[in-house]
Amino acid sequence: MRFSLLGIDVTLSRAKRDQDKLELSDIKVVNQETITYIKNLAKEDINRRISSVSRSSTEDLDSLKQCLDHNGIVVIPDFIPELLMKRVSPIIASVRDAIARFIQSDDSLVEEPTVLFQKGTAKLNGYQALSSHEKSVVQVRRGQDQGMVDIFNVDRWKQELGEVLRPYFEDPKILEIMRSDSEQVRARNLNLYVNSNVDQTRGFHVDSYSRQLKGFIYLEDCISLDDGPYTYVKGSHRPSAYTKLNKHVSSVLPNLTETPSVPLENILPVLAKKGSLVISDQGGSHRGFPQSNGHNRVVAVMNYK
């Protein structure tokens, strides 16, 4: 830009401004520093953080509800009996085999009677299209969550899995924990997250800046950071200075829901055994922790509205 100031010709270059422009790559640097912080936590510290939001399924309703309302998350480690989880294991093995065959193939799209497999957005694009399709949809992600696999409405493909899991997700006590003063909560679509060796995951973010509840049941043990646990920032569902800062930062980014600035002492990697239930307000900051090579994680996810 060239203009005259008090009779002096002045030229401003955009190079400096472009250099200072905030990019998604800058956010990744911040997120990586947060990952390093978590990896350096003592095991006792991680366990203490998990314990602060863990409640037994036998505890009274008010205790569970207060934990969710105050922290944005509650973990119920003994939710599904171990004996029942043994029915799930062979189903998960068959799901993994089918996904592996598809990933190794040259096909970007495969359709079967009850399931559609796609890489990226080969046919369907956007949450609404994926979640409302008549078949189960197995989507191999691209971009920030490269290699992660989402299975939408998995019970349309693997009916037995739905027969085991849905009664727990739809338990009246669980629905009551989630109920707000103004409206009832209903279980919607049953999805799976299947991760294997995923070492690049999206950093801390929110799904929206309003209350949005999800239930997660670990279908495999996730007992170390190497397994890639679901990670939540306790209390981040409530408006704060961090909320304001993250909204401002994200306003110049492709994704308006990035939340790189979080209180480190409230970061909570949810390490838990299979059969554990996590209820989480997705209006709080969360992410999937990067996995180490050779580690897997399968989580059943129920959306509630």
Side-chain angles (χ1 to χ4, degrees), residues 127-188:
Y127 181 83
Q128 182 60 32
L130 293 162
S131 63
S132 62
H133 193 67
E134 61 182 354
K135 302 178 181 180
S136 294
V137 178
V138 178
Q139 182 183 36
V140 180
R141 292 198 204 181
R142 296 290 188 249
Q144 291 188 75
D145 290 325
Q146 178 80 19
M148 289 182 64
V149 179
D150 299 315
I151 307 179
F152 293 83
N153 298 303
V154 64
D155 44 343
R156 295 177 184 172
W157 177 30
K158 300 293 182 179
Q159 184 176 352
E160 186 181 358
L161 191 61
E163 292 171 353
V164 173
L165 297 179
R166 272 196 174 273
Y168 285 91
F169 278 123
E170 296 173 354
D171 186 312
K173 184 175 182 179
I174 298 303
L175 299 181
E176 183 62 24
I177 292 168
M178 298 182 180
R179 186 177 68 85
S180 66
D181 294 335
S182 58
E183 59 183 13
Q184 298 285 341
V185 173
R186 292 179 55 197
R188 300 291 183 171

Side-chain angles (χ1 to χ4, degrees), residues 33-215:
E33 291 180 354
T34 307
I35 289 296
T36 301
Y37 165 80
I38 299 170
K39 286 182 175 180
N40 287 331
L41 289 173
K43 185 176 181 180
E44 294 76 15
D45 192 2
I46 293 176
N47 289 339
R48 177 184 57 79
R49 297 182 187 207
I50 298 169
S51 295
S52 71
V53 299
S54 295
R55 302 290 185 272
S56 171
S57 60
T58 60
E59 290 192 33
D60 64 89
L61 183 65
D62 286 342
S63 174
L64 295 166
K65 193 175 184 65
Q66 287 172 10
C67 183
L68 176 62
D69 291 345
H70 180 71
N71 297 306
I73 184 172
V74 61
V75 180
I76 305 177
D78 55 349
F79 190 58
I80 298 183
E82 184 177 353
L83 187 62
L84 192 56
M85 289 304 298
K86 290 182 178 180
R87 285 182 56 191
V88 171
S89 296
I91 304 173
I92 298 304
S94 69
V95 167
R96 282 194 180 281
D97 288 344
I99 292 172
R101 288 193 299 270
F102 174 63
I103 290 176
Q104 292 165 9
S105 75
D106 294 330
D107 298 318
S108 60
L109 179 67
V110 171
E111 290 202 52
E112 298 179 4
T114 58
V115 60
L116 179 152
F117 295 82
Q118 71 170 17
K119 295 171 183 173
T121 55
K123 179 174 181 178
L124 303 173
N125 187 17
Y127 181 83
Q128 182 60 32
L130 293 162
S131 63
S132 62
H133 193 67
E134 61 182 354
K135 302 178 181 180
S136 294
V137 178
V138 178
Q139 182 183 36
V140 180
R141 292 198 204 181
R142 296 290 188 249
Q144 291 188 75
D145 290 325
Q146 178 80 19
M148 289 182 64
V149 179
D150 299 315
I151 307 179
F152 293 83
N153 298 303
V154 64
D155 44 343
R156 295 177 184 172
W157 177 30
K158 300 293 182 179
Q159 184 176 352
E160 186 181 358
L161 191 61
E163 292 171 353
V164 173
L165 297 179
R166 272 196 174 273
Y168 285 91
F169 278 123
E170 296 173 354
D171 186 312
K173 184 175 182 179
I174 298 303
L175 299 181
E176 183 62 24
I177 292 168
M178 298 182 180
R179 186 177 68 85
S180 66
D181 294 335
S182 58
E183 59 183 13
Q184 298 285 341
V185 173
R186 292 179 55 197
R188 300 291 183 171
N189 50 311
L190 176 61
N191 304 333
L192 282 192
Y193 293 160
V194 182
N195 296 4
S196 298
N197 309 314
V198 179
D199 59 4
Q200 298 292 324
T201 58
R202 184 181 177 188
F204 281 113
H205 62 280
V206 297
D207 288 1
S208 66
Y209 283 105
S210 60
R211 193 171 193 257
Q212 184 176 340
L213 298 176
K214 283 186 179 180

